[in-house]
Amino acid sequence: MRIAVPNKGRLHEPTIDLLERAGLHLENGADRQLYADTVDPDVSVLFARAADIPEYVADGAADMGITGYDQVREAQVTDVAELLDLEFGRCRLVLAAPEDGSITSVADLAGGTVATEFPNVTREFFAERGLEPNVVEVTGATELTPHVEISDAIVDITSTGTTLKMNRLGIIEEVLSSSVRLFAREDVREEPKIQEVRTALASVKQAEGKRYLMMNVPEDRLDDVRDVIPGLGGPTVMDIANGGGEKVAVHAVVDERAVFETITDVKQAGASDILVTEIERLVE
C-alpha cells in the first residue's frame, strides 16, 4: 500500500513528522528520492508535488494521499474519499482586489478578469453565483497581477493575510477553507491496511493537547477525586499491589490546558504521588 505525500514546501515536514509519530518510520527517505519504505513492509511512501497527489491517488499510482483540501478540490477528482482532517496547513482561498480600486464585491467582477493558481475552484465559485468572469491561470506571484493590469482581482491562498496587505489587496470574500487531509481511492478505502493507517494517524491527532494523570487516592476519598477530574469519560481505578487496600491508583486523560487546575483540585481532594506524562497516541 502506497501513500503519496508532499515532496517539498510547507506541508512536507509536518507530514513526515506525523507519519513518524504514528509509527510509520521512513527507512530510506533520503532527499530527492521518489519512494521510501517504512517499518511496515506493506506500506511505502511516494513523494510528489502537493498539487499532483490527488491525481496520483485517483489514477492508482498511490492508494492514499496526504495533501491540502484545496488541491483535492482543484484536481476535480471524483473517485477519492476523504478519510481524516489532519488539522494542519490551515489556510483560506480568498477573492481579493486592490484596496483603492473599484472592485468591492463579487458582483463587480461580472465581465472582469481574475488571476489564480486555482482556476477550477475559481470558476466553480463564480458559477455558483451566476457569474462567468475571465479566469487567467498563473503559476506564481498571483498578488502582483492586479498591479500590472493582468487582472482585476485574484483568488489566492492566505494564512495570515500579510502578503495581501503588503501588496495593498483587500479580501472581498472567502472562496474556500482548507487544511491537510488524508484521503484514499474509493475502491480501497475500506481495505484493512488503509483503515490501519487512518487509525494510526488519527491516534496522533487525538493525543495532541492531552496529558495522562496518575495518582494514588485513599479509597474513602475516591468519590471526591472523581468529581474534580475532567477526563475523557470516567477515570480508571485500580488496586495497588501491596497497598493494604487503603489506597487505589487513579489514571485519567485530561486536556493539557486543565492540568494545572486539576492537579491542585485532586491534591486538595486527597490524592498523592501525582504524575503527569505526555501521550504519544490515543486510540478511542
Side-chain angles (χ1 to χ4, degrees):
M1 194 276 296
R2 185 174 293 159
I3 310 172
V5 305
N7 62 353
K8 59 183 179 180
R10 66 187 181 92
L11 303 184
H12 174 74
E13 290 296 336
T15 299
I16 299 304
D17 178 64
L18 178 61
L19 291 175
E20 294 279 348
R21 288 190 290 149
L24 287 170
H25 174 69
L26 272 60
E27 297 274 81
N28 52 356
D31 289 345
R32 301 186 183 280
Q33 282 193 188
L34 296 177
Y35 300 98
D37 295 326
T38 72
V39 291
D40 187 328
D42 296 323
V43 179
S44 62
V45 171
L46 165 66
F47 297 103
R49 291 177 61 246
D52 294 336
I53 290 174
E55 200 67 51
Y56 280 23
V57 174
D59 290 346
D63 303 293
M64 307 178 75
I66 296 177
T67 194
Y69 177 63
D70 55 324
Q71 302 292 354
V72 179
R73 284 284 301 273
E74 178 61 25
Q76 295 192 322
V77 289
T78 58
D79 49 355
V80 300
E82 181 180 321
L83 302 182
L84 186 66
D85 185 349
L86 298 175
E87 300 176 355
F88 67 89
R90 293 190 182 279
C91 62
R92 295 185 299 154
L93 202 59
V94 299
L95 174 66
E99 294 175 339
D100 56 356
S102 60
I103 306 297
T104 59
S105 71
V106 176
D108 291 337
L109 285 161
T113 300
V114 180
T116 184
E117 295 185 50
F118 297 84
N120 292 327
V121 172
T122 299
R123 290 190 182 99
E124 185 178 285
F125 170 80
F126 283 104
E128 290 172 352
R129 290 155 180 77
L131 299 173
E132 195 174 345
N134 178 35
V135 176
V136 176
E137 183 175 3
V138 295
T139 57
T142 309
E143 65 276 2
L144 296 180
T145 58
H147 301 299
V148 292
E149 299 182 355
I150 292 176
S151 70
D152 301 303
I154 67 170
V155 169
D156 201 12
I157 283 179
T158 183
S159 296
T160 63
T162 301
T163 302
L164 294 176
K165 291 177 182 177
M166 287 176 58
N167 288 279
R168 305 187 309 281
L169 297 171
I171 296 174
I172 296 173
E173 191 168 325
E174 181 176 297
V175 174
L176 182 73
S177 178
S178 180
S179 61
V180 173
R181 315 287 171 93
L182 172 71
F183 60 97
R185 221 170 40 258
E186 284 282 5
D187 62 331
V188 299
R189 64 179 297 182
E190 299 299 333
E191 292 289 328
K193 184 58 68 173
I194 298 287
Q195 291 302 314
E196 186 179 327
V197 171
R198 182 200 177 280
T199 298
L201 297 181
S203 71
V204 174
K205 303 307 297 182
Q206 287 161 354
E208 289 179 351
K210 301 291 193 303
R211 292 294 182 267
Y212 194 61
L213 263 63
M214 296 171 278
M215 65 199 79
N216 294 333
V217 179
E219 281 201 279
D220 60 355
R221 304 299 298 275
L222 184 56
D223 288 340
D224 295 333
V225 170
R226 277 185 174 140
D227 289 342
V228 297
I229 294 179
L232 295 176
T236 300
V237 179
M238 297 168 286
D239 291 331
I240 299 175
N242 301 319
E246 296 181 359
K247 286 187 176 183
V248 293
V250 176
H251 295 191
V253 176
V254 302
D255 192 283
E256 180 182 17
R257 294 170 296 183
V259 168
F260 180 83
E261 184 177 353
T262 300
I263 289 176
T264 301
D265 291 342
V266 297
K267 186 172 178 60
Q268 290 177 347
S272 61
D273 307 318
I274 302 166
L275 178 65
V276 182
T277 66
E278 293 185 355
I279 305 174
E280 292 187 359
R281 295 173 60 180
L282 177 61
V283 182
E284 296 182 333

